[in-house]
Amino acid sequence: MNEEFYVGYLDHAPPAMARFVRRWVAAAVVVLLAWLAVIAGQQSPMGQGRFEFGIERVFEGLFLAEPLPLLRVAAPDGVGTNYVVVGLGKHGVPDVLRQYHGRRIRFRGSLIERDGTLMAEWNVPDSLEVLSPAPERDSEMEEIVMGDAHVAGELVDTKCFLGVMRPATGKVHRACAIRCLSGGVPPGLLVQREDGHAVVVMLVSGVGNVPWNVSWAGRQVKVRGVLVRRGETLILKAAEAALLGAGG
Amino acid sequence: MSLVYRAIDWNRQKRVYDLIAWGIAGAGLATWVVTTLVRHPNVTAETLVIRASAWSAITLLHVILAIGPLARLDARFLPLLYNRRHLGVTMFVLALVHAVVATFQFHALGDESPLVSLWTAYGSDAALWRQAVEDWVHVPFEPFGVVALIILLFMAATSHDFWLRHLGAVFWKSLHLCVYLAYGLVLAHVALGYLQSERGIAPAAALGAGFIGLATLHGLAARQERRVDREIHALEQDGYVPVCRVDGVIEGRGRVVVAAGRRLAVWLHHGRWFATSNVCRHQGGPLGEGRIIDGCITCPWHGWNYQPEDGCSPPPFQEIIETHEVRVEAAQVWVRSLPSPLRTRQSGALADAAEAAAGSKPRVDDCGRGGACPSPPRERADS
C-alpha cells in the first residue's frame, strides 16, 4: 500500500509522488509538443501574395468603375498597369469613388499584390483628389472580347486572395469571403490550371442580376460567360453560375 | 491551547503548478509558431495567433480531461488534479484569444455585425438545416465553437470556490461536467472547419487518437469504479450491513465500501471504527481514499477536513457530512445503512482484539462466491 498521501495546501508533495508526477509530466510535454509540431508542419500551403498593411502609397491614374473598379496607372515608359480598387476592411470601392468613372484621380492607400495582379486599398478617405474635370479615355483600357468561356473553380474574394489573408481559401475562410463579397469586394474564380498553378479570374456579372450567391464563397462554382480583357486584366462576364457538387 | 487558521494563498505547490502549466502552454504556442514559420514563412500573424492558440487550447483540453481518470486509476496523479482548474482557466484564455482574433479576422470590418455574422454568414437558418441534411461538410463550424466557448466561459468564471459555495456542490459539479459537452462541440468545430480545409492527415489522426485515448482512460476508470460497486452485500439485518473485515483498514486510513447501494467511507481512528459519507462537500471527492491527518478526515482531492466522530469540519468551517453507526463483530465491520442525524456524535466501535485475530472466521468478502456469511451483530459493539 502506498504510504504517501498528497495534500495540496502543504508546501511540498511527498517525494516519491513528486518524482512520479515529474516524470509523467516531462514525458507528456515531449509527446504533446511533438503532436503540435507534426500538426503545424502538415498545414497546407498558406498561399502567396502580400499586403502592405500600414504602409501608405500614392496611387494616381485613370479610374474605371465598371465593370470592375480599376485604376490604370501610367508608368514612365508609357506602359500602364492596372490596380483593382477596393475599400477599407471587407468593403469594395465606395460609391463616392464610383462617381468619378473615367476621371483621373489620386489617393493614398496600401498595396496588395499576388503573382503580378495588383490591388489598391483606398484606406485614407480624405486623400482623394480628382485630377481631370471631365471623363477621359484610354485606348489600352478598351474592352477586348476573348470569347465564350466555361470555367469552374472556387469562388473567392479577391482582396483576401491577393494577399490580405494567408490562407484565403477553403472552409475556414468561407465566412470571411462571404462578408467580403457581401461588402462589395470583387469576386474571383480560383481556377486550377493543368500545370498545377492556380490563377484567379476576376468575375463580374454579365447580365442584369448577379448570377451567383455570395454564400457560395469558398465553394466550387461553375460559370458560363464571356471572357474579356481590359489592359492586362482578364475579366469573366458571367451569364450563368451554379454550385458544383452535392448539396448545391 | 489555541489554533491559528491561515488562508491558503498561492503556496509553493500552487506556484510550481501554475508556472509549469503556463510554461507548457507557452511551449505549445512557441512550438506551433516556430514550426509554422519554418514550413510556411508567408503565413500572416493573424493566422499564426488563431491556429497556435486553438491547437494549444485543444491540447490542453485533452490533458485536463485525462487528469480525472488518471487520478482514479493511480493516486500518484492526484497532484495534477489538485489545481486542475488553473489548467482550465489557462485553456479558456487560449480559446478566448483564438475566438476574439478569429472573429475579428473573419467577421469584422464588414457589412454585418461580427457577432451576427458568426451565426448567419452562411445563410438563413432553414437553409442551414437543409444543407446539414444534404451535405454535412458545408455545415457552418463557427456556432459549435461559440457554444463551446460560452460553456468554457461559465466554467472559468465559476472556477473559484466562492461560486462552488454559492451555487452548491451538485449544481457546480454538473456545470463543470459540461466540459465533456464543450469537448464534443470543439471536435465538431474542428472537424467541420479546419479539417475541411487541410489536406494533411495529422490533425485528424491526432484528434482521433486523443478521443480514443480519453475514451479508454475513462472506460478503465469506470471499470475500476464498478469493481468497488460490485462489492454489494445483501446481508442487511437490523439495519446493519457488513462492509469489510477489521484487517481491511489500517490505523489512520479510510476505505470505500458499499452499503445498501451507497458508497460510504469507513475509518479506523485511534483504535475505533467510524463510518461517514464517501462524498466530500467540496467537489464530491472520494473521502474513503483519504487519510486522517491531525484527527480529521482529509479528502484526497483538495484536502477538505471533517471530524470522523460527528462529520463536522473543524471550526470555523461549517461543512458537514453524514455519519453512520458502526458495529464490530466476528472481526467484521458492520455499518448501519441509514445515516444518523447530522452532527450526531459517534463514539466509534472498538475493535475486539480477540475477534480481530480470529482470521479463520468466514469472510464477508466471500459472500456470493460460495463462502459462508457471518451472523448479524447481536448488540452494538460501541455501546
Side-chain angles (χ1 to χ4, degrees):
Chain A
M1 184 179 284
N2 179 23
E3 293 300 316
E4 292 188 331
F5 185 68
Y6 175 79
V7 183
Y9 49 70
L10 300 180
D11 272 345
H12 293 274
M17 192 177 267
R19 273 197 305 277
F20 175 83
V21 169
R22 272 200 298 271
R23 286 174 189 157
W24 272 90
V25 168
V29 167
V30 171
V31 170
L32 295 176
L33 293 186
W35 144 315
L36 282 172
V38 170
I39 298 172
Q42 270 212 354
Q43 291 174 94
S44 297
M46 303 286 174
Q48 300 301 310
R50 65 190 170 102
F51 173 36
E52 293 183 344
F53 178 74
I55 301 173
E56 283 184 17
R57 289 183 181 224
V58 175
F59 297 91
E60 179 181 329
L62 183 68
F63 176 67
L64 296 180
E66 299 294 340
L68 182 73
L70 288 174
L71 187 72
R72 183 68 172 178
V73 176
D77 61 2
V79 179
T81 306
N82 285 349
Y83 288 77
V84 180
V85 183
V86 294
L88 192 62
K90 295 176 174 60
H91 294 280
V93 66
D95 288 340
V96 67
L97 196 58
R98 287 184 179 276
Q99 62 181 311
Y100 298 115
H101 175 74
R103 311 276 278 276
R104 191 164 297 280
I105 62 172
R106 179 162 57 207
F107 62 80
R108 291 204 308 275
S110 297
L111 174 70
I112 301 165
E113 184 268 335
R114 178 170 182 165
D115 296 334
T117 302
L118 303 170
M119 179 175 273
E121 181 191 61
W122 178 36
N123 52 26
V124 187
D126 60 2
S127 67
L128 178 63
E129 296 175 72
V130 180
L131 304 176
S132 58
E136 299 179 8
R137 293 179 69 88
D138 184 335
S139 59
E140 289 184 349
M141 293 299 282
E142 294 298 321
E143 184 171 291
I144 300 172
V145 176
M146 313 287 289
D148 292 343
H150 292 76
V151 185
E154 181 179 331
L155 184 65
V156 297
D157 75 275
T158 51
K159 185 176 181 182
C160 287
F161 181 79
L162 292 180
V164 173
M165 290 194 189
R166 295 185 293 276
T169 58
K171 183 80 176 283
V172 290
H173 182 262
R174 189 176 164 201
C176 178
I178 290 172
R179 284 274 72 81
C180 284
L181 297 190
S182 179
V185 171
L189 210 56
L190 180 60
V191 181
Q192 207 70 33
R193 293 194 319 205
E194 289 181 354
D195 62 6
H197 286 87
V199 294
V200 67
V201 180
M202 295 294 175
L203 199 59
V204 301
S205 172
V207 292
N209 295 322
V210 176
W212 62 83
N213 190 314
V214 294
S215 70
W216 297 353
R219 299 184 63 180
Q220 295 293 312
V221 175
K222 59 182 177 183
V223 177
R224 182 184 67 79
V226 177
L227 193 63
V228 303
R229 183 166 66 83
R230 283 179 181 262
E232 72 276 21
T233 304
L234 286 175
I235 303 169
L236 180 60
K237 289 184 157 181
E240 288 179 358
L243 272 175
L244 277 176
Chain B
M1 195 174 98
S2 65
L3 289 175
V4 176
Y5 289 94
R6 183 169 56 86
I8 302 167
D9 297 317
W10 253 243
N11 68 356
R12 179 185 170 278
Q13 287 201 59
K14 280 177 184 276
R15 284 194 293 271
V16 169
Y17 192 102
D18 286 352
L19 284 174
I20 292 174
W22 297 338
I24 292 173
L29 291 169
T31 300
W32 186 278
V33 168
V34 170
T35 309
T36 302
L37 285 175
V38 169
R39 296 273 298 166
H40 305 284
N42 205 33
V43 66
T44 61
E46 298 90 336
T47 300
L48 264 183
V49 172
I50 290 169
R51 294 187 174 186
S53 56
W55 279 100
S56 297
I58 290 172
T59 305
L60 214 46
L61 180 57
H62 280 82
V63 172
I64 290 165
L65 292 176
I67 287 174
L70 281 174
R72 301 301 303 144
L73 292 167
D74 190 327
R76 288 176 294 175
F77 284 109
L78 279 171
L80 297 177
L81 185 76
Y82 183 73
N83 290 311
R84 186 171 53 166
R85 67 183 82 180
H86 296 201
L87 277 183
V89 173
T90 304
M91 184 266 294
F92 168 73
V93 170
L94 289 169
L96 185 65
V97 168
H98 164 76
V100 169
V101 179
T103 301
F104 186 85
Q105 172 88 334
F106 297 131
H107 297 271
L109 303 178
D111 60 347
E112 183 63 276
S113 159
L115 295 180
V116 174
S117 175
L118 272 172
W119 300 89
T120 63
Y122 293 48
S124 68
D125 289 347
L128 288 181
W129 283 112
R130 275 201 305 278
Q131 212 171 47
V133 172
E134 293 168 1
D135 198 353
W136 65 270
V137 297
H138 298 300
V139 171
F141 63 95
E142 291 90 342
F144 294 95
V146 174
V147 177
L149 187 73
I150 291 171
I151 292 172
L152 297 177
L153 167 66
F154 276 106
M155 291 178 58
T158 61
S159 63
H160 196 272
D161 273 353
F162 170 87
W163 288 104
L164 176 64
R165 180 175 292 276
H166 285 81
L167 295 174
V170 174
F171 182 82
W172 189 90
K173 196 68 185 175
S174 302
L175 174 65
H176 284 244
L177 282 174
C178 287
V179 68
Y180 291 100
L181 175 60
Y183 174 60
L185 291 167
V186 167
L187 289 184
H189 177 68
V190 179
L192 291 168
Y194 186 81
L195 296 188
Q196 300 300 317
S197 295
E198 292 295 311
R199 291 199 290 266
I201 196 169
L207 283 185
F211 177 79
I212 292 170
L214 286 177
T216 303
L217 280 176
H218 282 77
L220 290 173
R223 193 174 69 172
Q224 180 166 297
E225 296 299 298
R226 277 199 303 273
R227 201 176 299 147
V228 175
D229 288 339
R230 263 190 228 114
E231 294 176 6
I232 295 172
H233 311 291
L235 284 174
E236 181 168 344
Q237 291 192 23
D238 297 341
Y240 283 80
V241 180
V243 291
C244 65
R245 285 179 53 81
V246 292
D247 55 2
V249 181
I250 62 175
E251 174 68 30
R253 300 283 179 88
R255 177 175 172 175
V256 180
V257 299
V258 178
R262 292 181 61 202
R263 284 190 174 189
L264 303 177
V266 293
W267 306 92
L268 183 56
H269 175 49
H270 291 167
R272 289 181 175 271
W273 289 89
F274 297 89
T276 66
S277 161
N278 188 51
V279 181
C280 179
R281 289 290 185 193
H282 180 217
Q283 289 189 24
L287 289 176
E289 296 174 21
R291 301 280 174 91
I292 293 180
I293 298 175
D294 296 334
C296 285
I297 295 167
T298 303
C299 179
W301 281 9
H302 300 92
W304 280 38
N305 293 143
Y306 307 92
Q307 295 162 162
E309 296 87 355
D310 57 9
C312 296
S313 291
F317 305 107
Q318 298 182 351
E319 287 72 26
I320 309 171
I321 54 172
E322 294 167 334
T323 59
H324 295 249
E325 292 177 7
V326 182
R327 294 179 184 177
V328 175
E329 188 172 291
Q332 196 71 42
V333 180
W334 296 74
V335 174
R336 190 173 174 81
S337 57
L338 291 178
S340 303
L342 285 177
R343 294 189 179 83
T344 299
R345 187 164 186 82
Q346 311 282 358
S347 54
L350 191 61
D352 182 317
E355 288 177 342
S360 61
K361 291 190 176 181
R363 297 168 61 104
V364 169
D365 288 351
D366 294 334
C367 291
R369 300 175 210 156
C373 295
S375 303
R378 300 298 177 202
E379 57 186 24
R380 294 185 57 162
D382 57 346
S383 58

